[in-house]
Amino acid sequence: MPQNLQLAITAFGGPETLKLQHTDIPEPQDGQVLIKVAFAGVNPVDAKTRAGLGWGAEKIKDILPWVPGFDVAGVVVQDSTRFKAGDRVAGRIVEGGGYGQYLCASADVLSRIPDGVSFEAAASLPVAGLTAWQALELAELKAGEKVLILAGAGGVGHFAIQLAKAQGASVYASCSAANIDFVNGLGATALDYAVSPLEAQVNDVDVLIDLVGGDVGEAALKSVAKNGRVVTVPTITADRIIAAAKPLGIDVKGMLVVPKPEQMDTLLTLVQEGKVRVEIAKTYPLEDGVQAHVDIQTGRTRGKLLLEMPE
């Protein structure tokens, strides 16, 4: 019987709590598709969950070991009602499980990967691409408005810049000195957060997309116009940002990304047409997943980190 090699969170704590395990290949239930995973995305939420923080950790605390991974791209193993064996698919998997060779996923969260789009690019989109799309949608960004995106060089940030630009917005994005050229190249005005406070570099923005939260997210409120709109993505500090914005007359919404295959289809098409660029910082073999977690925790990675499954 072939086995399913996975990387699991065995206890809450540091990256070293991730351990390889062998399990049986899962059997798809009604409405599910068995996928042989090619690549899985590594996201900040994976590291937070592993550390025991946030809603994700709360959900899994009694069922460890648990396999993370909400972004996957791979091949359908057997025919189902919606997909045929051999179809290339990608999607946002709410239950996790992406850090493994095989996975069962609900057919209605999956998108076909178009010709000419790599598994790597497709695996980069479900969490980061959909988060960027849904954050801009929640902010009701309109053409001609000024938007500030925090952490513009990161996974979500680099997609948010491109999508906001495509909507006709005037885009500003914070980043480190090392990423100035990269962020400018995506169509934003790059702001080096180490040079001076953001409010000294840009103000009266209509929309703030806060991808950092905490002290940084709160300080960025000073750049927002009165009656401006803010979407804060890190759930752990959302209440704090909402509270800090109230006396300033600024509306803040927190959000949680949800699977939307029709949005995912559009993102895949934009990548296929060369209208959205996917930046992949590094790809690690599954057995080096601990290092991927060490790296994502720095908050300094450019674009996306991926895990490649062994054959």
Side-chain angles (χ1 to χ4, degrees):
M1 222 5 222
Q3 289 271 286
N4 183 19
L5 182 67
Q6 298 172 309
L7 187 65
I9 296 169
T10 56
F12 291 141
E16 70 286 348
T17 64
L18 290 166
K19 306 271 192 230
L20 291 169
Q21 64 179 29
H22 284 95
T23 59
D24 291 331
I25 293 173
E27 286 285 332
Q29 305 301 304
D30 274 355
Q32 285 190 327
V33 176
L34 177 63
I35 301 167
K36 185 172 195 299
V37 180
F39 292 88
V42 178
N43 293 291
V45 68
D46 303 356
K48 284 184 184 132
T49 303
R50 189 214 66 239
L53 303 171
W55 58 272
E58 190 53 39
K59 261 171 52 176
I60 64 161
K61 64 181 196 298
D62 300 324
I63 54 166
L64 298 177
W66 179 80
V67 180
F70 301 107
D71 271 336
V72 303
V75 176
V76 173
V77 177
Q78 55 207 46
D79 290 355
S80 67
T81 45
R82 280 192 51 194
F83 296 99
K84 297 261 180 290
D87 282 352
R88 301 188 323 138
V89 294
R92 157 99 173 86
I93 313 300
V94 177
E95 306 78 18
Y99 290 18
Q101 290 170 296
Y102 291 91
L103 167 81
C104 286
S106 172
D108 56 18
V109 301
L110 299 174
S111 294
R112 276 191 181 74
I113 303 172
D115 294 343
V117 176
S118 67
F119 282 127
E120 292 95 322
S124 301
L125 289 168
V127 171
L130 290 178
T131 300
W133 182 309
Q134 291 169 22
L136 293 168
E137 192 174 59
L138 191 59
E140 297 177 14
L141 180 67
K142 296 170 198 68
E145 289 191 314
K146 258 168 97 169
V147 57
L148 169 60
I149 296 165
L150 302 187
V156 179
H158 88 292
F159 290 132
I161 289 171
Q162 296 177 77
L163 294 173
K165 194 80 189 153
Q167 286 172 33
S170 174
V171 186
Y172 296 80
S174 67
C175 62
S176 66
N179 286 319
I180 294 279
D181 290 346
F182 171 64
V183 166
N184 282 333
L186 295 171
T189 300
L191 309 174
D192 179 349
Y193 55 72
V195 169
S196 61
L198 286 179
E199 73 267 19
Q201 301 187 59
V202 66
N203 47 46
D204 282 336
V205 301
D206 301 292
V207 169
L208 167 66
I209 302 294
D210 168 24
L211 303 174
V212 180
D215 294 344
V216 174
E218 189 172 331
L221 294 171
K222 295 176 189 151
S223 293
V224 181
K226 191 132 175 72
N227 303 320
R229 291 106 61 204
V230 178
V231 173
T232 184
V233 172
T235 50
I236 293 172
T237 58
D239 289 345
R240 174 184 164 182
I241 306 297
I242 291 166
K246 260 213 175 74
L248 307 172
I250 296 167
D251 176 51
V252 179
K253 291 176 175 149
M255 67 162 279
L256 210 50
V257 63
V258 293
K260 289 253 177 102
E262 59 285 5
Q263 291 177 354
M264 184 67 187
D265 292 343
T266 305
L267 286 167
L268 285 162
T269 302
L270 289 169
V271 171
Q272 183 189 33
E273 292 170 350
K275 291 175 184 163
V276 164
R277 166 179 166 193
V278 178
E279 179 75 11
I280 295 165
K282 197 165 175 196
T283 299
Y284 307 75
L286 180 64
E287 53 271 25
D288 290 353
V290 169
Q291 187 59 47
H293 271 234
V294 170
D295 294 346
I296 198 100
Q297 283 179 180
T298 64
R300 296 271 179 275
T301 52
R302 176 190 291 187
K304 285 285 298 183
L305 301 183
L306 299 178
L307 294 180
E308 182 171 11
M309 300 309 133
E311 268 305 313

